[in-house]
PDB file of all heavy atoms in Angstrom:
ATOM      1  N   ARG A 251     -11.952   6.354 -11.357  1.00  0.00           N
ATOM      2  CA  ARG A 251     -12.177   5.816 -12.696  1.00  0.00           C
ATOM      3  C   ARG A 251     -12.289   6.952 -13.696  1.00  0.00           C
ATOM      4  O   ARG A 251     -12.743   8.048 -13.329  1.00  0.00           O
ATOM      5  CB  ARG A 251     -13.483   5.005 -12.711  1.00  0.00           C
ATOM      6  CG  ARG A 251     -13.350   3.666 -11.980  1.00  0.00           C
ATOM      7  CD  ARG A 251     -12.367   2.737 -12.682  1.00  0.00           C
ATOM      8  NE  ARG A 251     -12.163   1.544 -11.920  1.00  0.00           N
ATOM      9  CZ  ARG A 251     -10.951   0.977 -11.782  1.00  0.00           C
ATOM     10  NH1 ARG A 251      -9.905   1.574 -12.321  1.00  0.00           N
ATOM     11  NH2 ARG A 251     -10.810  -0.144 -11.124  1.00  0.00           N
ATOM     12  N   PRO A 252     -11.872   6.697 -14.931  1.00  0.00           N
ATOM     13  CA  PRO A 252     -12.046   7.744 -15.950  1.00  0.00           C
ATOM     14  C   PRO A 252     -13.512   8.059 -16.145  1.00  0.00           C
ATOM     15  O   PRO A 252     -14.391   7.280 -15.765  1.00  0.00           O
ATOM     16  CB  PRO A 252     -11.442   7.107 -17.221  1.00  0.00           C
ATOM     17  CG  PRO A 252     -10.559   6.010 -16.718  1.00  0.00           C
ATOM     18  CD  PRO A 252     -11.162   5.521 -15.435  1.00  0.00           C
ATOM     19  N   VAL A 253     -13.815   9.181 -16.727  1.00  0.00           N
ATOM     20  CA  VAL A 253     -15.180   9.558 -16.955  1.00  0.00           C
ATOM     21  C   VAL A 253     -15.847   8.577 -17.925  1.00  0.00           C
ATOM     22  O   VAL A 253     -15.340   8.355 -19.021  1.00  0.00           O
ATOM     23  CB  VAL A 253     -15.281  10.990 -17.533  1.00  0.00           C
ATOM     24  CG1 VAL A 253     -16.723  11.371 -17.816  1.00  0.00           C
ATOM     25  CG2 VAL A 253     -14.626  11.999 -16.564  1.00  0.00           C
ATOM     26  N   ASP A 254     -16.933   7.962 -17.485  1.00  0.00           N
ATOM     27  CA  ASP A 254     -17.728   7.042 -18.291  1.00  0.00           C
ATOM     28  C   ASP A 254     -16.875   5.999 -18.958  1.00  0.00           C
ATOM     29  O   ASP A 254     -16.855   5.823 -20.179  1.00  0.00           O
ATOM     30  CB  ASP A 254     -18.475   7.852 -19.349  1.00  0.00           C
ATOM     31  CG  ASP A 254     -19.597   7.016 -20.012  1.00  0.00           C
ATOM     32  OD1 ASP A 254     -20.014   6.030 -19.394  1.00  0.00           O
ATOM     33  OD2 ASP A 254     -20.009   7.363 -21.127  1.00  0.00           O
ATOM     34  N   PRO A 255     -16.162   5.164 -18.165  1.00  0.00           N
ATOM     35  CA  PRO A 255     -15.357   4.103 -18.797  1.00  0.00           C
ATOM     36  C   PRO A 255     -16.229   2.946 -19.196  1.00  0.00           C
ATOM     37  O   PRO A 255     -17.324   2.719 -18.685  1.00  0.00           O
ATOM     38  CB  PRO A 255     -14.389   3.686 -17.690  1.00  0.00           C
ATOM     39  CG  PRO A 255     -15.164   3.918 -16.447  1.00  0.00           C
ATOM     40  CD  PRO A 255     -16.024   5.125 -16.700  1.00  0.00           C
ATOM     41  N   VAL A 256     -15.763   2.141 -20.182  1.00  0.00           N
ATOM     42  CA  VAL A 256     -16.427   0.903 -20.525  1.00  0.00           C
ATOM     43  C   VAL A 256     -16.043  -0.133 -19.531  1.00  0.00           C
ATOM     44  O   VAL A 256     -14.851  -0.405 -19.327  1.00  0.00           O
ATOM     45  CB  VAL A 256     -16.048   0.460 -21.956  1.00  0.00           C
ATOM     46  CG1 VAL A 256     -16.744  -0.817 -22.306  1.00  0.00           C
ATOM     47  CG2 VAL A 256     -16.468   1.547 -22.953  1.00  0.00           C
ATOM     48  N   SER A 257     -17.006  -0.748 -18.834  1.00  0.00           N
ATOM     49  CA  SER A 257     -16.697  -1.755 -17.831  1.00  0.00           C
ATOM     50  C   SER A 257     -17.842  -2.767 -17.790  1.00  0.00           C
ATOM     51  O   SER A 257     -18.999  -2.463 -18.141  1.00  0.00           O
ATOM     52  CB  SER A 257     -16.508  -1.106 -16.457  1.00  0.00           C
ATOM     53  OG  SER A 257     -17.707  -0.496 -16.006  1.00  0.00           O
ATOM     54  N   VAL A 258     -17.473  -3.951 -17.386  1.00  0.00           N
ATOM     55  CA  VAL A 258     -18.478  -5.058 -17.112  1.00  0.00           C
ATOM     56  C   VAL A 258     -18.070  -5.732 -15.805  1.00  0.00           C
ATOM     57  O   VAL A 258     -16.946  -5.683 -15.407  1.00  0.00           O
ATOM     58  CB  VAL A 258     -18.490  -6.061 -18.278  1.00  0.00           C
ATOM     59  CG1 VAL A 258     -19.009  -5.417 -19.554  1.00  0.00           C
ATOM     60  CG2 VAL A 258     -17.100  -6.662 -18.505  1.00  0.00           C
ATOM     61  N   ALA A 259     -19.088  -6.303 -15.159  1.00  0.00           N
ATOM     62  CA  ALA A 259     -18.820  -6.959 -13.880  1.00  0.00           C
ATOM     63  C   ALA A 259     -19.713  -8.179 -13.741  1.00  0.00           C
ATOM     64  O   ALA A 259     -20.742  -8.302 -14.390  1.00  0.00           O
ATOM     65  CB  ALA A 259     -19.067  -5.983 -12.759  1.00  0.00           C
ATOM     66  N   VAL A 282     -18.225  -9.299 -23.883  1.00  0.00           N
ATOM     67  CA  VAL A 282     -19.237  -8.285 -23.541  1.00  0.00           C
ATOM     68  C   VAL A 282     -18.544  -6.920 -23.541  1.00  0.00           C
ATOM     69  O   VAL A 282     -19.097  -5.918 -24.006  1.00  0.00           O
ATOM     70  CB  VAL A 282     -19.899  -8.570 -22.208  1.00  0.00           C
ATOM     71  CG1 VAL A 282     -20.905  -7.501 -21.829  1.00  0.00           C
ATOM     72  CG2 VAL A 282     -20.551  -9.952 -22.231  1.00  0.00           C
ATOM     73  N   LEU A 283     -17.338  -6.856 -22.962  1.00  0.00           N
ATOM     74  CA  LEU A 283     -16.606  -5.594 -22.931  1.00  0.00           C
ATOM     75  C   LEU A 283     -16.275  -5.154 -24.357  1.00  0.00           C
ATOM     76  O   LEU A 283     -16.397  -3.948 -24.701  1.00  0.00           O
ATOM     77  CB  LEU A 283     -15.311  -5.755 -22.114  1.00  0.00           C
ATOM     78  CG  LEU A 283     -14.462  -4.481 -21.982  1.00  0.00           C
ATOM     79  CD1 LEU A 283     -15.082  -3.570 -20.910  1.00  0.00           C
ATOM     80  CD2 LEU A 283     -13.033  -4.822 -21.558  1.00  0.00           C
ATOM     81  N   CYS A 284     -15.886  -6.057 -25.195  1.00  0.00           N
ATOM     82  CA  CYS A 284     -15.528  -5.716 -26.591  1.00  0.00           C
ATOM     83  C   CYS A 284     -16.734  -5.208 -27.349  1.00  0.00           C
ATOM     84  O   CYS A 284     -16.606  -4.344 -28.227  1.00  0.00           O
ATOM     85  CB  CYS A 284     -14.921  -6.944 -27.297  1.00  0.00           C
ATOM     86  SG  CYS A 284     -13.282  -7.388 -26.695  1.00  0.00           S
ATOM     87  N   GLU A 285     -17.934  -5.705 -27.041  1.00  0.00           N
ATOM     88  CA  GLU A 285     -19.134  -5.188 -27.668  1.00  0.00           C
ATOM     89  C   GLU A 285     -19.358  -3.745 -27.305  1.00  0.00           C
ATOM     90  O   GLU A 285     -19.766  -2.899 -28.171  1.00  0.00           O
ATOM     91  CB  GLU A 285     -20.356  -6.039 -27.259  1.00  0.00           C
ATOM     92  CG  GLU A 285     -20.344  -7.456 -27.865  1.00  0.00           C
ATOM     93  CD  GLU A 285     -21.521  -8.272 -27.401  1.00  0.00           C
ATOM     94  OE1 GLU A 285     -22.370  -7.716 -26.673  1.00  0.00           O
ATOM     95  OE2 GLU A 285     -21.603  -9.467 -27.742  1.00  0.00           O
ATOM     96  N   GLY A 286     -19.134  -3.377 -26.049  1.00  0.00           N
ATOM     97  CA  GLY A 286     -19.262  -2.015 -25.629  1.00  0.00           C
ATOM     98  C   GLY A 286     -18.288  -1.109 -26.287  1.00  0.00           C
ATOM     99  O   GLY A 286     -18.588   0.035 -26.669  1.00  0.00           O
ATOM    100  N   LEU A 287     -17.065  -1.601 -26.427  1.00  0.00           N
ATOM    101  CA  LEU A 287     -16.021  -0.815 -27.139  1.00  0.00           C
ATOM    102  C   LEU A 287     -16.376  -0.679 -28.641  1.00  0.00           C
ATOM    103  O   LEU A 287     -16.158   0.412 -29.228  1.00  0.00           O
ATOM    104  CB  LEU A 287     -14.664  -1.493 -27.011  1.00  0.00           C
ATOM    105  CG  LEU A 287     -14.059  -1.493 -25.590  1.00  0.00           C
ATOM    106  CD1 LEU A 287     -12.876  -2.466 -25.522  1.00  0.00           C
ATOM    107  CD2 LEU A 287     -13.599  -0.093 -25.201  1.00  0.00           C
ATOM    108  N   ASP A 288     -16.891  -1.716 -29.235  1.00  0.00           N
ATOM    109  CA  ASP A 288     -17.261  -1.676 -30.664  1.00  0.00           C
ATOM    110  C   ASP A 288     -18.338  -0.600 -30.878  1.00  0.00           C
ATOM    111  O   ASP A 288     -18.319   0.074 -31.913  1.00  0.00           O
ATOM    112  CB  ASP A 288     -17.743  -3.035 -31.106  1.00  0.00           C
ATOM    113  CG  ASP A 288     -17.939  -3.118 -32.604  1.00  0.00           C
ATOM    114  OD1 ASP A 288     -17.253  -2.355 -33.324  1.00  0.00           O
ATOM    115  OD2 ASP A 288     -18.817  -3.880 -33.057  1.00  0.00           O
ATOM    116  N   ALA A 289     -19.273  -0.510 -29.946  1.00  0.00           N
ATOM    117  CA  ALA A 289     -20.320   0.503 -30.084  1.00  0.00           C
ATOM    118  C   ALA A 289     -19.764   1.922 -30.100  1.00  0.00           C
ATOM    119  O   ALA A 289     -20.342   2.824 -30.721  1.00  0.00           O
ATOM    120  CB  ALA A 289     -21.372   0.336 -28.966  1.00  0.00           C
ATOM    121  N   ARG A 290     -18.644   2.119 -29.421  1.00  0.00           N
ATOM    122  CA  ARG A 290     -18.047   3.445 -29.379  1.00  0.00           C
ATOM    123  C   ARG A 290     -16.973   3.628 -30.447  1.00  0.00           C
ATOM    124  O   ARG A 290     -16.451   4.755 -30.645  1.00  0.00           O
ATOM    125  CB  ARG A 290     -17.357   3.674 -28.015  1.00  0.00           C
ATOM    126  CG  ARG A 290     -18.321   3.683 -26.849  1.00  0.00           C
ATOM    127  CD  ARG A 290     -17.559   4.102 -25.608  1.00  0.00           C
ATOM    128  NE  ARG A 290     -18.443   4.123 -24.432  1.00  0.00           N
ATOM    129  CZ  ARG A 290     -18.076   4.661 -23.250  1.00  0.00           C
ATOM    130  NH1 ARG A 290     -16.856   5.195 -23.131  1.00  0.00           N
ATOM    131  NH2 ARG A 290     -18.890   4.661 -22.236  1.00  0.00           N
ATOM    132  N   ASP A 292     -14.041   2.209 -30.259  1.00  0.00           N
ATOM    133  CA  ASP A 292     -12.766   2.298 -29.520  1.00  0.00           C
ATOM    134  C   ASP A 292     -12.138   0.895 -29.404  1.00  0.00           C
ATOM    135  O   ASP A 292     -12.801  -0.107 -29.614  1.00  0.00           O
ATOM    136  CB  ASP A 292     -12.992   2.845 -28.129  1.00  0.00           C
ATOM    137  CG  ASP A 292     -13.338   4.330 -28.130  1.00  0.00           C
ATOM    138  OD1 ASP A 292     -13.116   4.980 -29.188  1.00  0.00           O
ATOM    139  OD2 ASP A 292     -13.886   4.806 -27.122  1.00  0.00           O
ATOM    140  N   ILE A 294      -9.046  -1.278 -26.882  1.00  0.00           N
ATOM    141  CA  ILE A 294      -8.323  -1.284 -25.612  1.00  0.00           C
ATOM    142  C   ILE A 294      -6.862  -0.902 -25.783  1.00  0.00           C
ATOM    143  O   ILE A 294      -6.173  -1.412 -26.663  1.00  0.00           O
ATOM    144  CB  ILE A 294      -8.420  -2.677 -24.969  1.00  0.00           C
ATOM    145  CG1 ILE A 294      -9.825  -2.918 -24.390  1.00  0.00           C
ATOM    146  CG2 ILE A 294      -7.383  -2.867 -23.837  1.00  0.00           C
ATOM    147  CD1 ILE A 294     -10.143  -2.075 -23.211  1.00  0.00           C
ATOM    148  N   MET A 296      -5.361  -0.159 -22.396  1.00  0.00           N
ATOM    149  CA  MET A 296      -5.044  -0.616 -21.018  1.00  0.00           C
ATOM    150  C   MET A 296      -6.305  -1.153 -20.393  1.00  0.00           C
ATOM    151  O   MET A 296      -7.327  -0.494 -20.362  1.00  0.00           O
ATOM    152  CB  MET A 296      -4.479   0.545 -20.211  1.00  0.00           C
ATOM    153  CG  MET A 296      -3.902   0.110 -18.858  1.00  0.00           C
ATOM    154  SD  MET A 296      -3.114   1.502 -17.990  1.00  0.00           S
ATOM    155  CE  MET A 296      -1.719   1.800 -19.081  1.00  0.00           C
ATOM    156  N   LEU A 297      -6.214  -2.401 -19.870  1.00  0.00           N
ATOM    157  CA  LEU A 297      -7.381  -3.107 -19.328  1.00  0.00           C
ATOM    158  C   LEU A 297      -7.038  -3.626 -17.939  1.00  0.00           C
ATOM    159  O   LEU A 297      -6.024  -4.256 -17.757  1.00  0.00           O
ATOM    160  CB  LEU A 297      -7.773  -4.239 -20.285  1.00  0.00           C
ATOM    161  CG  LEU A 297      -8.937  -5.113 -19.852  1.00  0.00           C
ATOM    162  CD1 LEU A 297     -10.243  -4.285 -19.790  1.00  0.00           C
ATOM    163  CD2 LEU A 297      -9.128  -6.276 -20.827  1.00  0.00           C
ATOM    164  N   ASP A 298      -7.933  -3.363 -16.985  1.00  0.00           N
ATOM    165  CA  ASP A 298      -7.769  -3.880 -15.616  1.00  0.00           C
ATOM    166  C   ASP A 298      -8.818  -4.919 -15.319  1.00  0.00           C
ATOM    167  O   ASP A 298      -9.967  -4.734 -15.625  1.00  0.00           O
ATOM    168  CB  ASP A 298      -7.892  -2.697 -14.608  1.00  0.00           C
ATOM    169  CG  ASP A 298      -6.694  -1.804 -14.603  1.00  0.00           C
ATOM    170  OD1 ASP A 298      -5.659  -2.166 -15.192  1.00  0.00           O
ATOM    171  OD2 ASP A 298      -6.790  -0.699 -13.957  1.00  0.00           O
ATOM    172  N   GLU A 346     -14.547  -7.768 -12.059  1.00  0.00           N
ATOM    173  CA  GLU A 346     -14.814  -6.531 -12.773  1.00  0.00           C
ATOM    174  C   GLU A 346     -13.757  -6.260 -13.821  1.00  0.00           C
ATOM    175  O   GLU A 346     -12.560  -6.353 -13.531  1.00  0.00           O
ATOM    176  CB  GLU A 346     -14.906  -5.368 -11.801  1.00  0.00           C
ATOM    177  CG  GLU A 346     -15.308  -4.043 -12.430  1.00  0.00           C
ATOM    178  CD  GLU A 346     -15.403  -2.934 -11.396  1.00  0.00           C
ATOM    179  OE1 GLU A 346     -15.013  -3.174 -10.229  1.00  0.00           O
ATOM    180  OE2 GLU A 346     -15.828  -1.815 -11.748  1.00  0.00           O
ATOM    181  N   LEU A 347     -14.182  -5.981 -15.035  1.00  0.00           N
ATOM    182  CA  LEU A 347     -13.260  -5.572 -16.121  1.00  0.00           C
ATOM    183  C   LEU A 347     -13.473  -4.088 -16.433  1.00  0.00           C
ATOM    184  O   LEU A 347     -14.617  -3.655 -16.662  1.00  0.00           O
ATOM    185  CB  LEU A 347     -13.514  -6.362 -17.399  1.00  0.00           C
ATOM    186  CG  LEU A 347     -12.828  -7.704 -17.521  1.00  0.00           C
ATOM    187  CD1 LEU A 347     -13.317  -8.410 -18.791  1.00  0.00           C
ATOM    188  CD2 LEU A 347     -11.325  -7.568 -17.570  1.00  0.00           C
ATOM    189  N   VAL A 348     -12.395  -3.303 -16.434  1.00  0.00           N
ATOM    190  CA  VAL A 348     -12.496  -1.845 -16.669  1.00  0.00           C
ATOM    191  C   VAL A 348     -11.516  -1.455 -17.762  1.00  0.00           C
ATOM    192  O   VAL A 348     -10.299  -1.749 -17.646  1.00  0.00           O
ATOM    193  CB  VAL A 348     -12.204  -1.054 -15.372  1.00  0.00           C
ATOM    194  CG1 VAL A 348     -12.379   0.473 -15.655  1.00  0.00           C
ATOM    195  CG2 VAL A 348     -13.125  -1.473 -14.287  1.00  0.00           C
ATOM    196  N   ALA A 349     -12.022  -0.784 -18.782  1.00  0.00           N
ATOM    197  CA  ALA A 349     -11.145  -0.281 -19.832  1.00  0.00           C
ATOM    198  C   ALA A 349     -10.573   1.063 -19.342  1.00  0.00           C
ATOM    199  O   ALA A 349     -11.196   2.126 -19.541  1.00  0.00           O
ATOM    200  CB  ALA A 349     -11.937  -0.089 -21.132  1.00  0.00           C
ATOM    201  N   VAL A 350      -9.425   1.007 -18.704  1.00  0.00           N
ATOM    202  CA  VAL A 350      -8.799   2.214 -18.108  1.00  0.00           C
ATOM    203  C   VAL A 350      -8.420   3.189 -19.240  1.00  0.00           C
ATOM    204  O   VAL A 350      -8.571   4.413 -19.046  1.00  0.00           O
ATOM    205  CB  VAL A 350      -7.583   1.833 -17.281  1.00  0.00           C
ATOM    206  CG1 VAL A 350      -6.884   3.069 -16.736  1.00  0.00           C
ATOM    207  CG2 VAL A 350      -7.993   0.904 -16.143  1.00  0.00           C
ATOM    208  N   LEU A 351      -7.922   2.683 -20.316  1.00  0.00           N
ATOM    209  CA  LEU A 351      -7.487   3.548 -21.429  1.00  0.00           C
ATOM    210  C   LEU A 351      -7.989   2.930 -22.754  1.00  0.00           C
ATOM    211  O   LEU A 351      -7.652   1.789 -23.081  1.00  0.00           O
ATOM    212  CB  LEU A 351      -5.962   3.695 -21.473  1.00  0.00           C
ATOM    213  CG  LEU A 351      -5.395   4.594 -22.515  1.00  0.00           C
ATOM    214  CD1 LEU A 351      -5.931   5.998 -22.405  1.00  0.00           C
ATOM    215  CD2 LEU A 351      -3.873   4.602 -22.460  1.00  0.00           C
ATOM    216  N   ALA A 352      -8.800   3.652 -23.450  1.00  0.00           N
ATOM    217  CA  ALA A 352      -9.314   3.232 -24.726  1.00  0.00           C
ATOM    218  C   ALA A 352      -9.076   4.345 -25.782  1.00  0.00           C
ATOM    219  O   ALA A 352      -9.171   5.534 -25.438  1.00  0.00           O
ATOM    220  CB  ALA A 352     -10.806   2.900 -24.652  1.00  0.00           C
TER     221      ALA A 352
END
Side-chain angles (χ1 to χ4, degrees):
R251 288 294 174 222
V253 178
D254 194 21
V256 178
S257 64
V258 293
V282 180
L283 183 78
C284 291
E285 290 177 4
L287 291 167
D288 187 29
R290 297 187 179 191
D292 291 341
I294 285 291
M296 189 176 293
L297 179 63
D298 286 350
E346 184 179 7
L347 275 175
V348 181
V350 177
L351 182 59

